[in-house]
Amino acid sequence: MNIKYDLIVVGGGVLGTFHAYHALKKGLKVALLEKDQKPQGATVRNFGQVVPSGMNTKWQNFGRESLKIYQEIQSEFDISVRQEGSIYLASNEKEVQLLEELHEINNANSYTSQLFTKDTCLERYPNLRKDYIKAGLFFPQEVIIEPRLMIHRLHKYLITEGLDIYYSTTVLECDSLHNGVHLHTSSKDTIVAEKILICNGSEFKVLYPKLFEESELEVSKLQMMQTKPQLNYRLKGSILTGLSIRRYEAFAECPSHQAIKAEEAKDSLVKKWGVHILFKQAADGSIILGDSHEYAAVEDIDSLGFDSSKDIDNFILQESKKIFNLPTYEIQKRWLGFYSQCKNSDIFEHTIDKNIHIVTGIGGKGMTGSAGFSKANIDKIFNLQNA
Ligand SMILES: Cc1cc2nc3c(=O)[nH]c(=O)nc-3n(C[C@H](O)[C@H](O)[C@H](O)COP(=O)(O)OP(=O)(O)OC[C@H]3O[C@@H](n4cnc5c(N)ncnc54)[C@H](O)[C@@H]3O)c2cc1C
């Protein structure tokens, strides 16, 4: 094989796929290479919450752009997007204060949010516990997607738009030569492109292992659970609770955030396991519950192991039950997810020999930020900002 592309994207997760999408929209000839039969990284293991409300100002802008892009694609092809809004539920006066402050910040940014009283929250979110809820902040424009479906459907759609996808194809090496970058794959093919974009998620052992080991990237391991389908029960949108209010970057921009964080116990299980409690109803009526965060540097990824901790699951369940009296907390599935992030910056970007671009480490904001970020990044990489 010796096909020549304008761009080859390595990695069929959400970040790579949206880069391919925007490059196609610019009229470029694009291929996507994915090592697995179908993507099965962070992009299919997550909650599917598209929540610009939780991001700092820079990423909220990318997230808002992502909302438009998801809706635009959904209007042409069903990729499982549902606009049901996101709600942050406060459990005490300090969290209420943060909600009020975030509401003001979003007013100033012209991003719609509505403060809900305790009663409105109880009315709109069935089985929410009266002894938990104090107030809520609702973002009506935000959407949810089904992570186990979305990326596969998006690939199908992009194939009809002219994208070439090669599954079960691991990229083993990239060589910059005079006539473009030559990509050597596990199928023993060489594919040539003007530019290569590597969106390898948290896979650091194949391409440029030394570069990644020396970088500030780290990997987070998350535990997730899914209940059995809830009978005659409907929970709409993304539900984020008090611990998320304390954890999400958006709230760090609130005036009282620092003082409230300073009062938190440093040695709690919440801190030890990085737990915050999220709920989202899946298409089969079950509730997805999570999550926890354990971290390791790139050179030490294997220390994260492949077991899920029963203690963490039990803790998440115990905390969830303080928030919602769900009809059932019987668990049908448990899984682990891994994503990469930078210790000190919001994303990892590195260019080799002008035409090999690495973009990864988008952290916990990939389903929200990737579509918007990659639009700007394709313009930057192909120098199209002013085109
Ligand atoms: C449990 C969990 C919950 C989350 N919840 C949310 C949420 O609700 N909202 C949100 O915004 N974000 C969420 N995130 C974060 C989000 O899922 C990630 O930021 C995002 O999926 C990262 O996408 P990615 O494309 O960078 O990585 P991945 O999805 O891991 O994709 C990388 C792909 O590259 C492929 N690859 C790697 N190396 C090669 C190679 N050499 N050759 C070919 N292919 C290769 C891999 O096989 C993989 O398919 C969550 C993450 C987890 C784990």
Side-chain angles (χ1 to χ4, degrees):
M1 196 191 303
N2 207 349
I3 306 169
K4 183 121 186 205
Y5 290 95
D6 296 312
L7 177 69
I8 291 177
V9 178
V10 180
V14 68
L15 191 56
T17 303
F18 272 113
H19 275 93
Y21 168 82
H22 291 295
L24 273 182
K25 284 205 111 181
K26 300 279 177 201
L28 301 174
K29 186 166 166 57
V30 188
L32 183 68
L33 273 57
E34 165 55 49
K35 74 175 169 49
D36 294 327
Q37 228 167 27
K38 291 275 164 182
Q40 49 182 305
T43 299
V44 299
R45 301 186 193 194
N46 61 75
F47 270 100
Q49 299 184 331
V50 182
V51 284
S53 54
M55 316 274 129
N56 64 22
T57 306
K58 173 180 172 188
W59 283 86
Q60 183 179 105
N61 287 334
F62 288 137
R64 288 166 70 172
E65 186 66 36
S66 297
L67 286 176
K68 285 190 214 148
I69 295 164
Y70 277 122
Q71 296 281 24
E72 216 171 277
I73 300 172
Q74 180 68 25
S75 70
E76 290 188 23
F77 196 93
D78 181 7
I79 55 163
S80 82
V81 175
R82 282 181 286 156
Q83 185 179 342
E84 296 186 354
S86 311
I87 181 98
Y88 294 81
L89 301 173
S91 65
N92 58 41
E93 290 313 319
K94 294 199 166 106
E95 289 161 10
V96 173
Q97 188 178 342
L98 288 170
L99 291 190
E100 286 168 355
E101 291 172 6
L102 193 70
H103 179 54
E104 284 307 311
I105 291 173
N106 282 290
N107 277 347
N109 290 339
S110 307
Y111 191 51
T112 308
S113 65
Q114 298 159 0
L115 280 167
F116 284 173
T117 61
K118 174 181 179 121
D119 285 347
T120 307
C121 293
L122 288 168
E123 227 169 80
R124 293 178 69 126
Y125 297 94
N127 296 28
L128 176 59
R129 286 182 60 147
K130 276 192 189 127
D131 57 355
Y132 179 83
I133 185 69
K134 292 282 181 290
L137 184 62
F138 181 62
F139 290 85
Q141 293 158 29
E142 298 191 345
V143 306
I144 48 177
I145 54 105
E146 293 296 315
R148 289 175 188 235
L149 295 178
M150 193 283 285
I151 201 71
H152 308 307
R153 292 195 181 165
L154 184 55
H155 283 188
K156 266 192 185 157
Y157 170 65
L158 293 180
I159 289 169
T160 68
E161 296 291 298
L163 179 66
D164 288 346
I165 304 189
Y166 302 84
Y167 293 113
S168 305
T169 303
T170 305
V171 176
L172 301 173
E173 216 182 324
C174 311
D175 284 334
S176 266
L177 299 177
H178 66 281
N179 62 343
V181 185
H182 290 222
L183 253 148
H184 307 287
T185 76
S186 53
S187 328
K188 308 232 181 311
D189 292 322
T190 298
I191 313 182
V192 183
E194 287 297 324
K195 281 188 178 287
I196 305 288
L197 188 71
I198 300 172
C199 297
N200 49 329
S202 53
E203 171 53 68
F204 298 122
K205 292 184 179 172
V206 180
L207 288 170
Y208 306 108
K210 196 93 195 113
L211 173 89
F212 290 120
E213 268 186 26
E214 287 166 2
S215 73
E216 55 148 342
L217 280 159
E218 60 182 3
V219 174
S220 179
K221 168 183 167 186
L222 295 84
Q223 285 188 204
M224 302 279 280
M225 285 178 277
Q226 185 169 7
T227 69
K228 292 201 163 158
Q230 309 281 335
L231 285 182
N232 304 320
Y233 182 75
R234 182 82 176 88
L235 198 57
K236 281 192 161 183
S238 297
I239 318 285
L240 306 102
T241 65
L243 295 176
S244 311
I245 293 172
R246 291 165 179 277
R247 185 182 167 91
Y248 273 30
E249 283 181 6
F251 294 95
E253 295 182 356
C254 294
S256 57
H257 180 261
Q258 226 177 346
I260 290 174
K261 290 296 280 184
E263 288 169 12
E264 290 176 354
K266 302 274 177 282
D267 53 357
S268 63
L269 291 181
V270 166
K271 288 263 192 277
K272 180 177 170 196
W273 291 324
V275 168
H276 64 139
I277 308 294
L278 305 166
F279 300 81
K280 200 199 98 182
Q281 192 160 36
D284 68 352
S286 63
I287 302 286
I288 302 180
L289 293 173
D291 51 15
S292 57
H293 300 77
E294 295 171 276
Y295 301 94
V298 168
E299 67 272 23
D300 207 24
I301 289 179
D302 293 348
S303 71
L304 289 170
F306 50 86
D307 287 321
S308 67
S309 148
K310 220 169 175 184
D311 289 343
I312 295 179
D313 278 356
N314 287 341
F315 183 66
I316 291 174
L317 281 171
Q318 172 197 310
E319 294 303 305
S320 302
K321 287 176 186 171
K322 291 180 188 164
I323 305 171
F324 276 97
N325 284 323
L326 294 179
T328 178
Y329 268 99
E330 216 180 319
I331 299 300
Q332 63 160 320
K333 261 187 210 147
R334 297 168 200 267
W335 67 93
L336 298 176
F338 298 85
Y339 62 66
S340 61
Q341 64 178 23
C342 295
K343 288 187 189 124
N344 301 307
S345 43
D346 52 359
I347 194 156
F348 180 84
E349 296 179 271
H350 187 89
T351 299
I352 300 163
D353 296 338
K354 278 199 206 140
N355 290 322
I356 302 170
H357 303 272
I358 302 172
V359 185
T360 190
I362 195 168
K365 52 193 183 300
M367 304 312 289
T368 304
S370 291
F373 168 81
S374 51
K375 184 177 180 191
N377 202 35
I378 283 292
D379 283 352
K380 189 174 91 181
I381 288 173
F382 284 92
N383 210 5
L384 298 168
Q385 287 99 326
N386 304 317

